[in-house]
Amino acid sequence: MGPLQYFKAEPTEYIISYSNGTVKREGAGLAFWYWRPSASIVMVPTSTTDALFVLNETTNNFQAITLQGQITYRIADPKTLSGLLNFTINPKTRDYLSDDPEKLQQRIINLVQTHTRTGLRGRSLEEALSAAEPLARSVLEAMHKEEALAKMGVECLSIFFTSISATPEMSKALEAEYREALQKRADQAIYSRRADAVEQERKIKQNELSTSIDLEKRRQDLVALKGENARKQAEFDAEALRIQLAPYTELDARLILALAFRDFAGNAQKIGNLTITSEILEELLNGKAAK
């Protein structure tokens, strides 16, 4: 293999080609021949990069938590970044000659941890465990305003936390507390249903009692009304009978007796046997005369 070599970059790779320390060409996706003994090639990726991270932090009530997440970033100004970090590659293997590219990712994760720690200062353990989305939003806003990233020509696109967890001991304690709270809510629901059932039963019995009392009062009024009507009816009947009998008080006893026998004779077909002895007749006549 001769000293004259061919190099071809991808469209998402920004290339700066040096020869004896002087920039010969630069741009994205370049393809060119170079003189190997004197050439130096810098390759800065401009595509988006996903970086996974795990952070160990503490909440404002001094409880340890572990945050797992991912940040997506891109190098918006590769020329600026190439002046700060060494992105020189081996043209043949395309491997970086230094660990600066890895340092870039670690620097970005360090900034994420700094802003995450700031976001956790005002949150307790319980609040932090359920604050994945708002915490990610606040950290992303802070990363957009981060001067260190702007100076390196790096743009943060997105960040999210896939997991926020407490220590195993604290997780068990929280689980037990949550189970107790759920059991308490279940017991309260049972007590409420029982109380409602008792209250409904009381209302039913009260309505039945009120109905019975109302029926008894109506029955009492009905009995009183019937008695009053019966008494008035008796008074009316007695008065009518008195009026009917009043004319007979002025008649002679023999005439009344004669009228009686006339009625007997008029209803003879309804009378089975009628025995009137002379003694009875004499007694009636004598008694009436005497009266």
Side-chain angles (χ1 to χ4, degrees):
M1 183 178 292
L4 186 63
Q5 300 291 325
Y6 181 76
F7 181 84
K8 182 179 184 301
E10 299 295 332
T12 56
E13 296 171 338
Y14 190 87
I15 303 300
I16 303 177
S17 177
Y18 292 87
S19 179
N20 295 323
T22 303
V23 177
K24 290 297 182 179
R25 61 183 65 83
E26 64 177 293
L30 296 181
F32 54 91
W33 292 90
Y34 64 95
W35 187 253
R36 184 176 180 182
S38 62
S40 177
I41 297 177
V42 172
M43 183 177 69
V44 181
T46 58
S47 60
T48 58
T49 302
D50 297 328
L52 301 176
F53 58 83
V54 178
L55 309 177
N56 295 313
E57 292 297 331
T58 304
T59 62
N60 66 354
N61 54 351
F62 308 104
Q63 298 299 319
I65 61 173
T66 300
L67 303 96
Q68 299 181 24
Q70 174 181 301
I71 181 171
T72 301
Y73 65 93
R74 62 180 291 269
I75 299 174
D77 189 350
K79 187 173 183 179
T80 298
L81 184 62
S82 66
L84 299 175
L85 297 175
N86 184 5
F87 276 81
T88 305
I89 63 171
N90 182 337
K92 183 178 179 180
T93 62
R94 304 176 75 92
D95 293 331
Y96 289 104
L97 300 181
S98 72
D99 59 354
D100 280 7
E102 297 179 2
K103 291 181 180 179
L104 172 64
Q105 188 172 108
Q106 188 58 47
R107 289 182 184 181
I108 295 174
I109 292 176
N110 290 341
L111 291 174
V112 171
Q113 185 169 18
T114 299
H115 295 300
T116 300
R117 185 175 299 156
T118 301
L120 291 174
R121 288 177 183 173
R123 290 182 169 92
S124 64
L125 174 61
E126 293 79 1
E127 293 172 340
L129 292 177
S130 59
E133 292 185 6
L135 183 61
R137 286 196 300 268
S138 64
V139 173
L140 182 60
E141 291 177 2
M143 294 291 285
H144 286 164
K145 300 176 183 177
E146 184 60 56
E147 293 183 0
L149 290 179
K151 290 179 179 180
M152 290 189 297
V154 177
E155 178 184 4
C156 183
L157 301 179
S158 67
I159 182 173
F160 58 87
F161 294 99
T162 58
S163 172
I164 301 179
S165 59
T167 61
E169 295 78 8
M170 185 56 63
S171 297
K172 291 180 179 179
L174 292 175
E175 290 173 3
E177 181 180 355
Y178 185 68
R179 283 196 299 268
E180 290 295 328
L182 288 179
Q183 186 62 45
K184 185 176 180 180
R185 289 170 56 186
D187 293 341
Q188 186 63 38
I190 293 175
Y191 297 151
S192 298
R193 286 196 297 270
R194 290 179 178 176
D196 291 340
V198 171
E199 178 64 19
Q200 292 299 325
E201 184 68 20
R202 185 191 66 80
K203 290 181 179 180
I204 292 173
K205 290 183 178 180
Q206 185 175 5
N207 290 337
E208 291 177 350
L209 181 60
S210 299
T211 302
S212 299
I213 293 174
D214 186 56
L215 290 176
E216 290 298 326
K217 286 183 178 180
R218 292 185 180 183
R219 186 180 301 172
Q220 183 180 7
D221 294 341
L222 180 60
V223 171
L225 181 59
K226 286 183 177 180
E228 181 66 20
N229 290 339
R231 185 183 64 79
K232 290 183 179 180
Q233 185 64 44
E235 291 178 356
F236 292 154
D237 292 344
E239 180 64 20
L241 182 59
R242 187 187 64 78
I243 294 173
Q244 290 177 359
L245 296 178
Y248 293 97
T249 59
E250 305 298 332
L251 298 177
D252 185 80
R254 289 172 294 181
L255 180 57
I256 294 174
L257 186 58
L259 292 174
F261 278 104
R262 189 187 67 176
D263 289 339
F264 289 156
N267 295 280
Q269 69 277 8
K270 298 179 181 180
I271 301 174
N273 294 305
L274 179 61
T275 302
I276 301 177
T277 64
S278 58
E279 291 80 4
I280 294 175
L281 183 58
E282 182 180 359
E283 184 178 351
L284 289 173
L285 291 175
N286 292 335
K288 180 64 177 175
K291 184 177 179 182

